[in-house]
Each structure stands twice: as structure tokens, then as C-alpha cells.
Amino acid sequence: MTTIRDVAAKAGVSTATVSRIINNKGQATPETIARVHAIIKELGYKPNVVARSLISRKSNTIALLVPTISNPFFPELARGAEDVANSFGLNIFLCNTDDEREKVNNYLVSLRERYVDGIIINSLNLTNEDLEELHSNGIPTVTLDRTFPTHEFSSITVKHRIGAQLATKHLIDIGCKRIGLIRGPEDDFTAVQRMWGYRDYVKNFDWFDQSWIALGDFSVKSGYLCMKELFQRHPDIDGVFASNDLMAIGLLKAAHEWGRKVPDELAIIGFDGIDMSQYTNPPISTIKQPSYEMGKMAMEELIRLIRDPESNSNKMELDVELILRESSMR
Ligand code: RIB
């Protein structure tokens, strides 16, 4: 599908310029306007016709709150949302909350004052009251990825527990006899769901107890430290499911330091499917989240709510995919 970014790149202008030309706004030169229209025709780009019918626009801006900018998973989400926003002539404010309650709250207060057209929030440090207040202030909101199922507003996440079951079953299927988990943060909905998915497949083994689970924080360093902890607790470990790819990347260093051959002596699988996971040595098997699609669908849902604020909310839970690479190929 040709996107507004393809048109902008070929024309040598910004996506905002392309959007203004499509919507007959802004100050582009006649030559630029002609060139952009010619490229739109050449590439067969189809501007979203709904864009022009968007009503109740306040600032042509959408805010996207993410829990960190140091994990490649979130920029991949943001890219999907941004492409859709730009095709509707909307800009994005990207806000990094570090998943801290105070920063989430500060951003929500600031964004209410800036009359953003809508907000997409990827954070657990959010309350039902936050969402109710945004709604009563006429700011449509969609939660994404790190969300909690109890709120009534639109949300998009993936089948985290099923993904963890796929990962753990794969390690069992290739012959692993002692499988550990490096889990995500205590209070993280996605981490808890993945921990349950792992337990679904190991809870009945006589060797299993809580000591086979190490508590990480989704960072590379925590993957390294947690793997060392598991090696110390259980030298006979021969398979590990890391609840995200960054921790899977980190544990490779620990496996090397402990002289464990991957995958023959330690099979590894991660979660997310970030681009980097295919470039490690060995490349890491993972459970791929449709991150670009999630961002795209979140923005499309938000546009729908902007056009019809009182319409029903949608809760979407997308499938994940098992991606097999050398780190678990025996
Ligand atoms: O890698 C970071 C994790 O936090 C991802 O798995 C994503 O689901 C988010 O919850």
C-alpha cells in the first residue's frame, strides 16, 4: 500500500506538506503542488477520503503516550499510528511517560489544555477516572498494548497469554526438560498475562516451582542479570522464555559467560518480534506482535471516535505469531 510517506519521499517534501496540498491548505509553490499531484497519480496513492470529512478538529494533532523510547517495540507501534494520522492531515505529539504515574498525569493535564483531537495511550499508570475525564472533556481516547481490560473505552492489545503458551510449548516440543521464565515487571498487565501463559504449560511438571521464574523489567540488562540468577539457582536449565526480545538479547551474554551453547544446551525464545532480534548471534526465536498494525488500527479507531464521539467503543485483541530462528532450532 502506497503511503503518504512514499509520496513525500519521492517529491522531496514533508508528509505535512503533502497533507496540506491534498487538503488545499498551506503555501506550497505551484511547481511543488504540481509535482506532488503528479507523484500521487504515478504511485497511485489514495488519500483517505474520510480525512476531509473529519469534523470537530481542534488542533489537527493527536497525542501518543508511550512507556519508554528506549525499546524499539514502541517506535514500531508509533510508525503505524503516524502513517494513518498523516494521511488524515493530522500531526502526532509523541510523549514518553517512562510509565510513571506523575508523568502520565502531567501529560494528560497539559494535553487537555492544548485541545488535541484525540489521545492514544500505551501505559498501565492510567486510571478509569483519567479516561472518564478525557471523555467528559470531549477528547476521544484509545488505549493500546499496555492496557487493562476493566475500562469501557476502545483498546487494542494482543493475545499475550496465548503467545506465552506458544513460546513455552515450542521449548517443550524441541525437548527442553527444565524451562525457566524471565518475566516482565510485577504490575505490568502484559507481563502478568505472559507469566500465566508460561505457567499453563509448566505448572504440572514435578520440577516446577516459583524459583524457575526470575523478575525482569523488560530491559536488556535485566535479561542478563536474570539469566545469571537462573543459572545459579538451576544449573540444569536447558530452555528459557524471555517475556520480551530485549531481555532475550541480554541473556545471550550470560549464556556466553556461563559457557552454554545456544540452542544445543540452552534454547531461547523472546516476545515482541522487534527487528533487532533477527540480527543477534544466533538470531532469536520470538513471538511476534503485529506492532505496526496495532498502531495503525489504534489511530483508525481514534479517527472513527473523533468523527462520531458517542459511538460504541471497540476492544480488539490481535493474534501473535511464532517466529522460529536459530536460538531454538534443535
Ligand atoms: O518490550 C516491551 C513490552 O512492553 C512489549 O512486550 C510490549 O507488549 C509492552 O507491554
Side-chain angles (χ1 to χ4, degrees):
M1 176 190 83
T2 300
T3 68
I4 193 168
R5 276 188 304 131
D6 300 324
V7 174
K10 193 167 178 69
V13 299
S14 69
T15 52
T17 298
V18 174
S19 169
R20 282 194 293 270
I21 290 172
I22 289 170
N23 293 290
N24 302 314
K25 294 182 177 177
Q27 310 298 325
T29 64
E31 294 76 18
T32 301
I33 293 171
R35 186 167 77 253
V36 167
H37 282 300
I39 289 169
I40 285 174
K41 189 174 179 187
E42 176 193 343
L43 298 183
Y45 171 61
K46 300 279 184 288
N48 197 305
V49 292
V50 169
R52 297 192 191 87
S53 68
L54 270 184
I55 55 177
S56 75
R57 286 183 178 198
K58 301 169 188 145
S59 61
N60 286 352
T61 304
I62 302 293
L64 171 58
L65 275 65
V66 295
T68 175
I69 50 177
S70 60
N71 181 331
F73 174 78
F74 299 103
E76 290 175 14
L77 276 187
R79 174 60 77 189
E82 183 190 34
D83 283 350
V84 173
N86 289 169
S87 73
F88 280 81
L90 299 170
N91 300 309
I92 281 197
F93 274 157
L94 183 64
C95 307
N96 168 34
T97 66
D98 290 327
D99 237 346
E100 292 170 3
R101 176 60 200 165
E102 186 179 355
K103 285 188 78 173
V104 169
N105 194 52
N106 290 343
Y107 271 122
L108 293 182
V109 169
S110 171
L111 290 168
R112 274 199 295 274
E113 294 162 0
R114 281 165 173 71
Y115 300 104
V116 292
D117 291 285
I119 302 180
I120 296 175
I121 305 180
N122 185 344
S123 173
L124 284 162
N125 281 300
L126 195 64
T127 64
N128 275 318
E129 292 70 29
D130 291 329
L131 295 170
E132 295 287 354
E133 189 168 351
L134 288 166
H135 182 71
S136 60
N137 277 274
I139 302 177
T141 303
V142 175
T143 63
L144 171 66
D145 175 49
R146 291 183 189 181
T147 182
F148 46 99
T150 53
H151 74 66
E152 64 183 61
F153 296 92
S154 290
S155 66
I156 292 177
T157 186
V158 303
K159 295 170 181 168
H160 297 285
R161 184 164 186 166
I162 290 174
Q165 290 169 354
L166 282 174
T168 310
K169 181 181 183 300
H170 167 60
L171 294 175
I172 293 169
D173 289 349
I174 63 170
C176 293
K177 301 298 182 207
R178 296 288 187 275
I179 301 168
L181 169 70
I182 300 178
R183 60 155 296 168
E186 287 278 341
D187 58 354
D188 185 316
F189 168 76
T190 63
V192 171
Q193 289 295 305
R194 292 173 205 171
M195 186 269 294
W196 286 118
Y198 157 81
R199 288 180 65 104
D200 289 341
Y201 269 84
V202 299
K203 63 188 176 188
N204 295 324
F205 287 128
D206 56 7
W207 53 265
F208 176 70
D209 63 31
Q210 202 61 23
S211 68
W212 288 89
I213 298 176
L215 178 61
D217 63 7
F218 281 148
S219 69
V220 174
K221 183 178 179 183
S222 74
Y224 167 69
L225 296 173
C226 285
M227 192 67 241
K228 290 208 298 183
E229 192 183 310
L230 288 171
F231 278 140
Q232 284 155 0
R233 278 190 214 148
H234 299 291
D236 55 342
I237 187 169
D238 64 355
V240 60
F241 164 38
S243 297
N244 82 330
D245 287 344
L246 289 187
M247 295 195 295
I249 291 167
L251 74 86
L252 280 175
K253 177 177 167 66
H256 179 72
E257 287 178 356
W258 280 66
R260 297 297 174 89
K261 295 186 184 65
V262 176
D264 297 342
E265 295 170 339
L266 180 74
I268 300 169
I269 187 164
F271 200 111
D272 284 346
I274 59 173
D275 195 45
M276 196 188 302
S277 63
Q278 59 187 316
Y279 296 104
T280 51
N281 180 21
I284 292 171
S285 296
T286 185
I287 300 297
K288 177 156 183 54
Q289 296 198 58
S291 46
Y292 181 90
E293 190 63 22
M294 287 166 73
K296 178 173 177 290
M297 290 174 71
M299 186 58 73
E300 289 168 344
E301 174 63 6
L302 188 62
I303 296 290
R304 186 185 70 80
L305 294 171
I306 290 172
R307 294 180 64 223
D308 184 3
E310 292 316 310
S311 61
N312 293 335
S313 61
N314 277 324
K315 285 190 169 304
M316 292 166 262
E317 200 181 41
L318 307 184
D319 291 325
V320 291
E321 180 186 1
L322 174 61
I323 305 290
L324 298 183
R325 298 190 182 118
E326 291 164 59
S327 73
S328 69
M329 300 294 275
R330 282 182 178 173

